Amino acid sequence: MSVLPGGLRVCVESVPQYGRGLAAVALTVAAGGDDDPAGRHGTAHLVEHLMFPRSGGGSADPTGEGYAALVAGAGGVCNAETHRDHTVFHTTVPAESLPEALAWEARRLLGFAPTEDVIRTETDVIGEEIRGAGDAGRSWESALGALYPGSRDSFGTAAELAGITAGEVEAFFRAHYTAPRMVLSVVGDVDPAGVMAVVREVFAGAGVIRVVGEAGAAEGIRAAGEPRAAEEARAAERIRAAREARSAEGIRAAGEALSAEGIRAAGEALSAEGIRAAGESRATEEIRAAGEPRTAKEIRTAPLPVARPGVAVGHPLPDPVADRPAYLAQAVLAQVLGRSRLPALARSARDGHRLTSATVTCGYHGQWLASAAPDLTLAVLGRAPGTEVDAAVGIWRSVLRAVAEGPLPEAEHRRAVNSLLVAWHRQADSLPTRAVALGRDALLLPGSAGPDALPAELRRTTPAEVAAAARALLEGPVTVTELGPQAGTVPTARAGTEPAPQKGTVG
């Protein structure tokens, strides 16, 4: 990892065993849906699209070709993703074309100046993407906004983007696309020293870092002069926000389940291990004595109209920086629930209530370790005719209780961990995935040992930790969203519940 004078962090990794004549470039920017201005949900997503001009011309592209066309002409491919807290652009080209690809990357940053016509075209494209996201996207955003008011899904709202101007887009770009808020990662069949020489030439020598920094506000200029201080402040703010976002009721419920000694240990250690050690025996005792853990704060969100009846249940995830072992235990738990426990239950009947389907996702739209806190686990359960929302939620909680009373059988635990490891290994050979992971770790997960440390971390997760993860879901805040053909009215708040702010009114 190197830091250029303007504050841009650069990570270069030579992996010829994966690359075999290829190189991947990822530019990760600390700007996402959470940064969208009020009334302009989707601005970060729109800027991502506008970094791929569909026609050329001007200082950014004197050849008259768009960025994607230049990459394709070199035999490469490119794409991008906008998340809640970041946007990442990734390109894969033959290693011999890497210097040109880096120059194109620098040039589109330097020459960002979209026209109104291009903006209108891309807002239409985003509208189609929003519609294509379908039910899963709306369920995820509903739970996110309820658990963490102010957090936004990355897709955006077509109505809010309809009137956005070039000036608003450029203001967002100037404020957020500054050197200290970006990480450039290069992975593949490359020579690190040679790559750094090219990067210094095209990014610093061409004036990109200077221009991008000067185009921003005074805050951006100050951050460019103090990149390390700015990053530390941002990381600290993320952790504070994640902790504060947990509801007071959820904290009380967790605290009451702990002994006085456990509370002291949790306060002193601030670690998942301390919390687990303090609460494990008492929580298990309460489950066995009462048959059901203390009811947590339940937030009923507005019903969502979908083709088939169901219910979406959302739970907050631990901080992947401050509570990484607890976060990884939640990833394993999602595998256990989604791959074995719930599918088996959906094929059977219990007490006259049935589930027709069940999916469980951990992390932003199912991408775990792809965002910093706050984040969530989401269960979407299909309801058979005659199965009410409360009955489906009761089934979900009964499955969680069965795991919480664990520990899991060793074979079931091993299968869940292995499924995550297989997915990781399949992605590890992908150059763009590796480049993206390096950029995310540097930008969002300070202190991470990197993607190669993840398999060992997963293998250290124990059945007892997965049981503790299930208890955390039972005892913490939860959102419940009715899904169905007739859904569409905001439910009346009942005792122990409260309506949540809805899309378009959050933040």
Side-chain angles (χ1 to χ4, degrees):
M1 180 74 72
S2 302
V3 182
L4 297 189
L8 175 71
R9 282 163 288 175
V10 184
C11 179
V12 184
E13 184 181 42
S14 177
V15 283
Q17 68 273 28
Y18 300 144
R20 295 184 178 87
L22 298 175
V25 179
L27 180 71
T28 311
V29 185
D34 282 355
D35 300 294
D36 289 342
R40 287 289 185 250
H41 184 199
T43 303
H45 190 187
L46 177 58
V47 169
E48 175 224 303
H49 277 240
L50 295 172
M51 287 283 281
F52 295 88
R54 293 171 188 268
S55 61
S59 61
D61 194 359
T63 65
E65 296 181 89
Y67 178 87
L70 292 170
V71 172
V77 293
C78 58
N79 212 329
E81 303 171 18
T82 304
H83 288 246
R84 260 192 40 253
D85 51 8
H86 73 284
T87 301
V88 59
F89 305 86
H90 49 88
T91 300
T92 305
V93 294
E96 62 189 24
S97 298
L98 178 60
E100 289 83 0
L102 290 169
W104 300 331
E105 189 72 73
R107 198 164 66 197
R108 65 173 171 170
L109 284 171
L110 174 62
F112 184 83
T115 65
E116 295 287 352
D117 287 345
V118 173
I119 289 174
R120 297 283 76 79
T121 297
E122 294 307 322
T123 54
D124 290 343
V125 173
I126 289 175
E128 291 299 322
E129 290 184 357
I130 293 171
R131 285 186 284 275
D135 302 339
R138 290 182 293 134
S139 298
W140 203 96
E141 183 179 6
S142 178
L144 178 75
L147 288 171
Y148 307 111
S151 290
R152 307 300 299 269
D153 181 275
S154 66
F155 283 101
T157 305
E160 294 184 18
L161 287 178
I164 197 168
T165 66
E168 290 175 295
V169 170
E170 290 192 50
F172 183 92
F173 181 85
R174 288 193 301 269
H176 297 286
Y177 279 61
T178 60
R181 294 170 63 89
M182 298 190 292
V183 175
L184 181 74
S185 25
V186 181
V187 174
D189 193 358
V190 299
D191 168 45
V195 170
M196 285 305 305
V198 174
V199 169
R200 289 190 178 94
E201 177 184 354
V202 300
F203 279 84
V208 172
I209 298 306
R210 178 181 58 80
V211 172
V212 172
E214 289 177 357
E219 179 184 351
I221 296 173
R222 287 195 300 272
E226 303 175 0
R228 186 176 302 277
E231 175 57 27
E232 288 175 354
R234 181 174 173 80
E237 181 60 30
R238 282 200 305 268
I239 293 173
R240 276 198 306 274
R243 288 172 178 166
E244 291 172 1
R246 295 183 175 93
S247 69
E249 182 64 28
I251 294 172
R252 282 196 299 273
E256 288 169 2
L258 299 173
S259 65
E261 180 62 29
I263 293 172
R264 284 196 298 273
E268 292 168 359
L270 286 179
S271 67
E273 182 60 36
I275 293 170
R276 285 194 299 272
E280 203 166 273
S281 60
R282 178 68 181 273
T284 302
E285 180 182 345
E286 287 185 358
I287 290 171
R288 289 174 178 169
E292 172 117 11
R294 185 177 288 103
T295 301
K297 178 181 179 183
E298 182 180 287
I299 306 170
R300 290 286 174 125
T301 67
L304 293 175
V306 301
R308 297 181 179 179
V311 61
V313 186
H315 300 269
L317 281 173
D319 189 315
V321 176
D323 299 322
R324 191 173 177 92
Y327 182 100
L328 294 179
Q330 290 289 351
V332 177
L333 174 63
Q335 287 291 308
V336 169
L337 298 172
R339 292 176 66 91
S340 58
R341 297 294 176 104
L342 284 166
L345 192 59
R347 291 190 295 267
S348 65
R350 253 183 213 190
D351 300 326
H353 303 299
R354 292 191 301 119
L355 302 180
T356 58
S357 62
T359 60
V360 184
T361 54
C362 175
Y364 186 72
H365 291 288
Q367 299 183 56
W368 51 289
L369 284 182
S371 291
D375 211 339
L376 60 91
T377 280
L378 183 71
V380 179
L381 313 174
R383 295 182 288 124
T387 303
E388 299 297 328
V389 168
D390 287 343
V393 174
I395 294 172
W396 166 250
R397 291 181 65 81
S398 72
V399 175
L400 285 176
R401 284 198 303 275
V403 178
E405 292 171 347
L408 289 172
E410 181 60 36
E412 185 178 19
H413 175 78
R414 186 170 59 251
R415 282 196 301 270
V417 171
N418 285 345
S419 68
L420 295 177
L421 289 172
V422 167
W424 180 90
H425 283 293
R426 290 180 63 184
Q427 295 177 355
D429 288 350
S430 164
L431 292 184
T433 299
R434 192 171 184 87
V436 167
L438 290 172
R440 283 174 174 161
D441 281 0
L443 196 67
L444 306 173
L445 307 174
S448 169
D452 287 336
L454 186 57
E457 291 179 298
L458 282 171
R459 291 189 184 97
R460 286 196 293 269
T461 303
T462 66
E465 289 174 324
V466 177
R471 287 195 294 274
L473 297 192
L474 285 166
E475 296 166 2
V478 58
T479 67
V480 176
T481 305
E482 178 184 356
L483 310 175
Q486 304 302 318
T489 58
V490 179
T492 302
R494 300 179 301 162
T497 71
E498 64 180 48
Q502 294 306 303
K503 182 174 180 178
T505 65
V506 180

